[in-house]
């Protein structure tokens, strides 16, 4: 019994310790980020890493999602005799839900794992200590640039996903029955408002923040050699995806309340 | 491609997507074109949502930008609409907003009707008229009522058909009068026989009447009765109406001959002439002149029975006319008679009434014949001593 109690206590301690460390880490990164000098060269490298290099992946994911929704929606809608609602169904489901979430998950997999592993190996090979010794703030150079790159690039990647999904969705529909792209867009966006679309797209900055923060945090607190690197990579992907989905619950409610 | 260029291309491409999206949605929200705002009030907006279409003449022309619940009970829900400036020319003060549904279960939208040409323009933010939305439940309730009444109508029709059926069955089986008529040949034969008999009877009656007329004619010339007719001055009362006119012609007479009845006739109540030669002057004039129409006008004084005097004057006029026609040569269809009955004023009682022969120039229209003897009154004027303002009364 004492062993169970003590292990439970340890688990709780570990849980709160993790959140506490994350809070301290966030504060240090924020403080480092807002004070000069700014690491522009590293930021551009990270923007390219997160943004342009993720584009093929999210584009393909988006294309696949477009086809999937197109096929599913056509089947369900024709059962209810509401086939004319098809463009609107596709546009709304892609832009409001599928686009942001799929982009977030794909980017968290690719970027989160990459960042976690990179920073963890730097940590275990004591490169981070070396940077710190050469009077450069590793939070500013390594963490702030990566996190900012994620925050900036996620909405743009989401737009790319949306565009690809709508194109392939329309294409999949047009193969079955004739539907001009213009008609598709006209009908799909009828009754569309900015409140329905812009908040949904730009909430992915929060996804970017979560992905970057957790990946950097997990990477920079790694201990214990090669095994630690692997663990850090896995943890950053899993935790980033989990928190992303959880954050979405709050974000959706927030958007519905403030952007009706 | 350098890293920076690649990043730049990525950013430009994705921002282009954003811009396209913004413009597509913006065109739906009319953010980039000139708009104006209208409001309409409804008891119930039937599920109309923010961002719903506003259609003018079935064309998407605006968006619902707000739906406000009333501040207190009894007020209405206000729908705020943002409309494209291009619709300002067709939406007028008398335009009406209504909430419609696309199909049976589709989206709600606001439809605004065209205004009339003469009406004033709407101002920005103005409240226009509205009609309450037709809700499906309400529609079903109305349909239900219609179905109920049509069911009743069908029941009534069925009942009426049953009655008709029963009636035709009765006719067919020979019940009642109509049934007997339709079914009984003997009744029809009897009816025909009766009609034939009736026809024969009528023919015989006609022959009887003709015989009776001849008998009467013979009786008038009988020794015992001929005195009465001689004293009266004429034989057949039906001749009185033959040349009678309703009134004098409108024109002025060319010549007038006036006589007192005492000069010409036997007695106060007689139409038998005693001194026909007095009339020769008038007869000569008629024979020598081309006249249009001449009228013998006779009247009496105010005493005596009106009806009898009317007949007397007509009889005297007829007798004078007969004398003139028989003794002087002229077209007898141009000589007419007019019995005036009693006339106040002009006639002296001692004269037993007066006789005038009015002769009108050629071209004077012949007055219409008089359908029934009439009692007329009033006399005026010097050259038209007897003026008639035909007031007809029915003979009893």
């Amino acid at each position: 019994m004492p062993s169970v109690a003590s292990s439970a206590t340890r688990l709780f301690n570990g849980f709160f310790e993790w959140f506490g460390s994350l809070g301290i880490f966030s504060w240090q990164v924020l403080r480092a980020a807002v004070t000069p000098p700014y690491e522009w060269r590293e930021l551009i490298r990270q923007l390219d890493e997160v943004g342009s290099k993720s584009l093929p992946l999210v584009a393909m994911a988006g294309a696949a999602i477009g086809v999937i929704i197109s096929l599913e929606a056509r089947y369900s809608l024709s059962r209810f005799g509401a086939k004319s609602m098809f463009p609107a169904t596709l546009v709304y489901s892609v832009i409001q839900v599928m686009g942001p979430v799929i982009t977030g998950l794909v980017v968290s997999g690719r970027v989160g794992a990459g960042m976690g592993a990179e920073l963890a190996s730097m940590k275990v090979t004591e490169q981070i200590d070396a940077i710190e010794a050469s009077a450069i703030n590793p939070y500013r150079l390594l963490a702030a640039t990566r996190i900012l790159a994620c925050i900036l690039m996620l909405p743009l990647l989401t737009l790319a996903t949306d565009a690809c999904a709508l194109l392939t969705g329309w294409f999949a529909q047009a193969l079955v029955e004739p539907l001009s792209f213009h008609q598709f867009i006209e009908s799909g966006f009828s009754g569309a408002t900015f409140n329905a679309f812009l908040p949904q797209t730009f909430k992915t900055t929060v996804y970017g923040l979560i992905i970057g923060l957790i990946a950097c945090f997990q990477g920079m607190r790694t201990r214990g050699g090669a095994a630690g690197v692997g663990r850090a990579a896995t943890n950053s992907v899993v935790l980033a995806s989990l928190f992303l989905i959880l954050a979405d619950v709050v974000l959706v409610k927030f958007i519905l309340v403030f952007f009706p | 491609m350098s890293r920076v260029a690649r990043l730049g291309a990525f950013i430009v491409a994705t921002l282009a997507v954003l811009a396209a999206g913004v413009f597509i949605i913006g065109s739906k929200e009319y953010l980039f074109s000139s708009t104006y705002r209208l409001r309409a009030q409804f008891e119930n907006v039937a599920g109309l949502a923010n961002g719903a279409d506003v259609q003018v003449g079935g064309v998407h022309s605006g968006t619902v930008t707000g739906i406000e619940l009333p501040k207190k009970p009894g007020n209405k829900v206000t729908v705020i609409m943002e409309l494209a400036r291009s619709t300002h020319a067709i939406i007028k003060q008398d335009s009406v907003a209504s909430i419609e549904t696309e199909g049976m279960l589709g989206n709600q939208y606001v439809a605004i009707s065209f205004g009339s040409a003469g009406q004033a323009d709407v101002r920005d933010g103005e409240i226009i008229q509205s009609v309450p939305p037709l809700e499906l439940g309400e529609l079903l309730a109305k349909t239900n009522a219609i179905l109920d009444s049509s069911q009743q109508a069908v029941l009534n029709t069925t009942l009426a058909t049953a009655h008709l059926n029963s009636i035709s069955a009765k006719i067919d089986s020979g019940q009642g009068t109509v049934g007997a008529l339709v079914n009984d040949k003997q009744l029809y034969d009897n009816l025909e026989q009766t009609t034939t008999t009736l026809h024969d009877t009528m023919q015989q009656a006609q022959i009887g009447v003709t015989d009776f007329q001849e008998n009467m004619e013979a009786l008038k010339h009988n020794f015992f009765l001929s005195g009465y007719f001689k004293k009266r001055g004429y034989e057949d009362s039906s001749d009185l109406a033959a040349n009678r006119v309703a009134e004098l012609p409108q024109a002025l007479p060319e010549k007038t001959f006036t006589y007192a009845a005492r000069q010409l006739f036997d007695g106060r109540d007689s139409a038998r002439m005693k001194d026909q030669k007095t009339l020769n002057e008038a007869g000569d004039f008629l024979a020598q002149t081309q006249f249009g129409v001449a009228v013998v006008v006779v009247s009496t004084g105010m005493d005596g029975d009106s009806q009898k005097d009317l007949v007397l004057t007509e009889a005297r006029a007829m007798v004078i006319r007969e004398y003139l026609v028989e003794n002087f040569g002229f077209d007898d269809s141009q000589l007419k008679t007019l019995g005036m009955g009693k006339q106040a004023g002009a006639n002296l009682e001692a004269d037993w009434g007066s006789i005038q022969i009015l002769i009108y120039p050629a071209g004077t229209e012949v007055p219409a014949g008089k359908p029934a003897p009439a009692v007329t009154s009033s006399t005026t004027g010097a050259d038209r001593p007897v003026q008639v303002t035909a007031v007809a009364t029915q003979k009893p």
Side-chain angles (χ1 to χ4, degrees), chain B residues 32-82:
Chain B
F32 307 111
S33 55
S34 173
T35 62
Y36 65 104
R37 188 170 281 219
L38 281 182
R39 290 186 291 164
Q41 296 192 313
F42 297 93
E43 296 279 357
N44 176 348
V45 294
L48 185 76
N50 233 340
D53 263 11
V54 177
Q55 299 191 351
V56 179
V59 178
H60 173 76
S61 314
T63 331
V64 172
T65 56
I67 297 172
E68 288 171 358
L69 276 172
K71 298 281 189 292
K72 59 181 186 225
N75 289 2
K76 290 181 172 178
V77 180
T78 307
V79 174
I80 302 160
M81 296 165 286
E82 201 75 48

Side-chain angles (χ1 to χ4, degrees), chain A residues 5 10 14 18 21 24 33 37 79 144 181 195 200 203 217 225 237 251 258-259:
Chain A
R10 235 188 9 252
W18 187 86
S21 309
I24 292 167
R79 275 178 64 189
F181 187 68
N195 278 352
Q200 302 287 353
K203 77 181 177 182
F217 175 62
V237 173
L251 284 170
F258 289 96
F259 303 97

Side-chain angles (χ1 to χ4, degrees), chain B residues 273-296:
Chain B
M273 289 215 277
K274 61 176 184 189
D275 191 9
Q276 290 96 327
K277 291 198 170 59
T278 319
L279 290 169
N280 286 355
E281 193 192 345
D284 289 337
F285 184 83
L286 286 172
Q288 286 155 18
T289 318
Q290 286 292 319
F291 63 96
V293 62
V295 183
V296 182

Side-chain angles (χ1 to χ4, degrees), chain A residues 44-45 47-48 51-53 55 85 153 156-157 159-160 163 185-186 189-195 197-198 202, chain B residues 3-4 6-7 10-11 14-15 17-18 21-29 31-32 50-51 53 63 107:
Chain A
I44 285 172
R45 199 180 77 84
L47 286 173
D48 178 54
S52 349
K53 287 188 177 169
L55 182 62
M85 301 292 284
M153 287 296 106
L156 299 184
L157 289 170
L159 288 167
I185 292 295
E186 270 297 308
F189 282 87
S190 68
T193 59
F194 285 124
N195 278 352
F197 293 120
L198 292 186
F202 285 94
Chain B
R3 171 173 293 159
V4 176
R6 191 169 59 201
L7 179 63
F10 167 70
I11 292 173
T14 50
L15 287 181
V17 171
L18 179 68
V22 164
F23 272 94
I24 290 171
I25 299 170
S27 72
K28 302 286 176 193
E29 284 207 341
L31 284 191
F32 307 111
N50 233 340
D53 263 11
T63 331
N107 292 328

Side-chain angles (χ1 to χ4, degrees), chain B residues 231-232 261-272 274 298-306 308-310 312-313 316 341-343 347-354:
Chain B
K231 184 167 179 271
R232 198 175 72 166
R262 188 185 279 274
Q263 284 179 279
L264 286 171
F265 292 99
D266 235 7
R268 165 69 182 80
D269 298 323
S270 173
R272 186 173 152 203
K274 61 176 184 189
V298 184
S299 59
T300 67
M302 287 307 288
D303 56 346
D305 182 86
S306 294
K308 274 184 185 160
D309 281 353
L310 180 62
L312 177 69
T313 53
R316 280 177 175 169
K342 287 160 81 169
Q343 293 294 332
N347 297 316
L348 294 170
E349 184 47 40
D351 290 343
W352 302 343
S354 68

Side-chain angles (χ1 to χ4, degrees), chain A residues 13-30 111-124 128 138-139 142-148 150 208-223 228-229 231-237 239-240 243:
Chain A
N13 271 346
F15 181 75
F16 289 120
E17 205 180 314
W18 187 86
F19 269 104
S21 309
L22 182 63
I24 292 167
F25 175 76
S26 305
W27 172 246
Q28 283 170 334
V29 171
L30 183 65
V111 175
M115 283 182 184
E118 189 186 5
L119 290 181
S121 62
M122 284 172 86
K123 172 75 179 179
V124 296
I128 292 177
Y139 294 110
L142 301 177
T145 51
R146 281 171 170 76
I147 294 169
L148 190 60
C150 284
L209 174 69
I210 290 168
I211 293 167
L213 194 64
I214 287 178
C216 292
F217 175 62
Q218 286 300 107
M220 288 177 82
R221 75 196 290 262
T222 308
R223 285 187 205 88
V229 173
R231 210 162 44 236
T234 313
N235 280 347
S236 55
V237 173
L239 290 175
F243 279 109

